[in-house]
Amino acid sequence: MEINAIVLAAGKGSRLKVATPKPLCTVLNKPLIDYTVELLKETSKKIDKKINTTFVLGHDKESILAHLESTTKNFAIAYQEEQLGTGHAVKICFDQIETLKDSEYTFVLCADTPLISSESLNILYSSISEKGVDAVCASFNAANPTGYGRIIKMKTGFQIIEEKDATNEQRTVREVNSGVYIFKTSYLVNHISDLKNNNSSNEFYLTDLFQENQKVIAKLFEDSQEFLGINDMAQLSEAENLINRKKIYDLQKNGVRFILPETVYLGGNIEIGTGSVIYPNVTLEEDVTIESNVKIEAGCTIKNSKIKSNSIIKASSYIEKSIIGENCKVGPMAHLRPETVLENDCRVGNFVEIKKSTFKQGSKASHLSYIGDAQIGEKSNLGCGFITCNYDGADKHKTIIGKNCFIGSDTQLIAPITLGDEVYIASGSTINKSLPTGAFGIARSRQQTKEGQAKKFIKTKEK
Ligand code: UD1
Ligand code: MG
């Protein structure tokens, strides 16, 4: 039999004090709701059952729905117009989606708990199926239980009492409800309409389904961090730190060296090969692959890029949507903009900006350059201060340079332009006509030397 998962995501998340709805607020560049989607995907594989997911949407449902449609397959939504409580949110799912009642179990999760592991959800699932009870909630001992529903032990069984409704004595209890549950669907269907809102929030609490006279249990988990719920910015950055540290730990186990790991930010799908070294204050975002024995020096930002093995990215370089070959040296302070490709053994030095250009194997631009919309042939050398004039104010044009060329310092090539192989351009030239293989190009005014006349120009300060 199949399983339901209901993900509660209708609330405003007002304690975060941002315009973005909470399920779309990001932790390490990933929207919170995506963590829950991935958790359910992994859990479905682990328990080998199909999980049919329903998202309860309310506040800013359009943006959350648009996000889900672009990232997730096969889900349903239930619309909760007024947020009348977690019990009401679950009830409207059954009111709006007829087929939910046919599943054996229903998982209920929130869209703001990104640390929960599929192992724990699997343990919760085993405890409801093995113990034959009607419902199980995951509980943990909180260092600071403020804000959570307390697990209050009774003569037989327990109840969940919300913070606002608890007595001072009940508030001292540290075992709390995590907000993650599994119900027998038949139990939910039979009892969800009985919930009352006669409590201090006037809400229909899902937690009221846990009563001492019912066959329900609380499964206590050791690791309290896993159930951290994100309600404010402090909890958001706490979760971000924990997930970041976990990613770093996994890479360390794979032989990656981090120097001051607590300063490194891994905001995306980051793969790093054995023997690579990441210096302090490095930011790696979205899809980044760094192969083995690569060195990323301090203060680099790398987004959506691939760095192949044995390359060095020197300090404070910024690399976006680029591919760097093997044995390359880039930086310090290089700026590689989208669609830069460096083949193997290239060298890009300080204050060099490259955009939408390919450097064939062994080519170099070692100092102070702008190279845009260009192709640089094998083993060509671009001197200091070389510039491609690629933009005429309306359109971008291509510069093509053949192999083994030597382009002198302070040279501009006005695109569109093509240089053949083994071309030599004299320093200080502004070249606007293409040159064939083997040609020498010079385009600068002739020098005049006037002996003894320097004193006319050198002024000394009178004392
Ligand atoms: C809830 C639990 C509390 C538990 C805590 C764990 C209840 C009554 N209390 O409290 O026992 O310790 O989670 O974090 O369930 N939502 C809706 N519609 C609503 C109300 C809420 O979709 O009408 C969603 C919210 O968007 C959120 C989730 O349900 O994702 C939890 O709601 P929230 O108001 O944060 O409950 P807590 O006060 O944290
Ligand atoms: Mg909450």
Side-chain angles (χ1 to χ4, degrees), residues 198-230:
N198 53 352
N199 49 56
S200 46
S201 307
N202 292 322
E203 286 187 3
F204 296 92
Y205 291 158
L206 185 63
T207 45
D208 282 349
L209 293 177
F210 292 85
Q211 296 294 340
E212 65 168 328
N213 56 349
Q214 300 290 352
K215 275 167 53 190
V216 293
I217 54 171
K219 167 83 191 143
L220 180 66
F221 284 82
E222 285 293 314
D223 180 4
S224 58
Q225 284 180 336
E226 233 193 84
F227 296 98
L228 176 71
I230 293 179

Side-chain angles (χ1 to χ4, degrees), residues 188-369:
L188 264 184
V189 171
N190 291 335
H191 293 85
I192 195 83
S193 299
D194 302 340
L195 292 175
K196 301 276 184 306
N197 66 348
N198 53 352
N199 49 56
S200 46
S201 307
N202 292 322
E203 286 187 3
F204 296 92
Y205 291 158
L206 185 63
T207 45
D208 282 349
L209 293 177
F210 292 85
Q211 296 294 340
E212 65 168 328
N213 56 349
Q214 300 290 352
K215 275 167 53 190
V216 293
I217 54 171
K219 167 83 191 143
L220 180 66
F221 284 82
E222 285 293 314
D223 180 4
S224 58
Q225 284 180 336
E226 233 193 84
F227 296 98
L228 176 71
I230 293 179
N231 293 316
D232 59 29
M233 281 297 172
Q235 288 166 324
L236 188 138
S237 68
E238 197 182 338
E240 198 154 53
N241 268 326
L242 289 166
I243 299 171
N244 198 48
R245 207 179 302 151
K246 186 179 176 314
K247 284 184 172 183
I248 288 175
Y249 180 80
D250 291 345
L251 289 164
Q252 285 169 327
K253 290 282 159 194
N254 200 29
V256 180
R257 165 127 164 79
F258 287 87
I259 298 171
L260 289 187
E262 61 278 15
T263 67
V264 173
Y265 177 84
L266 303 182
N269 299 318
I270 315 296
E271 288 173 31
I272 309 181
T274 308
S276 288
V277 184
I278 313 294
Y279 280 70
N281 296 316
V282 167
T283 296
L284 305 177
E285 292 189 90
E286 296 171 34
D287 291 304
V288 174
T289 303
I290 294 172
E291 293 185 350
S292 54
N293 301 314
V294 169
K295 196 199 264 187
I296 311 286
E297 289 187 358
C300 289
T301 295
I302 303 175
K303 291 186 185 176
N304 277 322
S305 294
K306 178 168 189 168
I307 320 283
K308 297 191 184 168
S309 49
N310 300 311
S311 285
I312 300 178
I313 311 298
K314 295 191 180 177
S316 299
S317 295
Y318 192 100
I319 299 177
E320 204 177 345
K321 222 176 163 195
S322 295
I323 299 173
I324 317 284
E326 293 175 14
N327 297 309
C328 287
K329 286 199 177 94
V330 173
M333 288 161 284
H335 185 186
L336 306 192
R337 291 168 50 201
E339 295 181 56
T340 294
V341 176
L342 306 184
E343 293 187 355
N344 297 346
D345 310 311
C346 289
R347 165 88 184 102
V348 170
N350 44 197
F351 306 109
V352 173
E353 174 183 347
I354 306 177
K355 184 217 77 170
K356 210 176 182 181
S357 296
T358 298
F359 275 50
K360 297 275 187 188
Q361 181 170 7
S363 50
K364 292 180 188 162
S366 297
H367 335 263
L368 298 150
S369 270

Side-chain angles (χ1 to χ4, degrees), residues 7-13 15 22-23 56-57 80 82-89 109-113 140 147-150 160-162 176-181 203-208 227 229 231:
V7 179
L8 305 182
K12 193 169 175 199
R15 282 167 282 180
K22 182 156 75 168
V56 182
L57 303 183
Q80 190 190 25
E82 265 187 292
Q83 281 76 62
L84 302 179
T86 46
H88 178 257
L109 300 149
C110 298
D112 67 353
T113 46
F140 63 97
Y148 290 103
R150 311 297 202 280
I160 301 175
I161 308 285
E162 293 305 307
V176 297
N177 166 29
S178 70
V180 179
Y181 321 87
E203 286 187 3
F204 296 92
Y205 291 158
L206 185 63
T207 45
D208 282 349
F227 296 98
N231 293 316

Side-chain angles (χ1 to χ4, degrees), residues 1-4 49-50 52 94 99-107 125 128-129 133-134 182-189:
M1 244 178 150
E2 293 178 357
I3 285 176
N4 296 324
K49 295 235 162 162
K50 183 158 184 262
N52 298 313
F94 286 90
T99 50
L100 290 191
K101 64 174 183 354
D102 304 328
S103 291
E104 189 174 11
Y105 291 109
T106 299
F107 288 50
Y125 179 65
I128 191 167
S129 46
V133 290
D134 287 329
I182 305 178
F183 295 93
K184 263 193 188 151
T185 304
S186 52
Y187 179 73
L188 264 184
V189 171

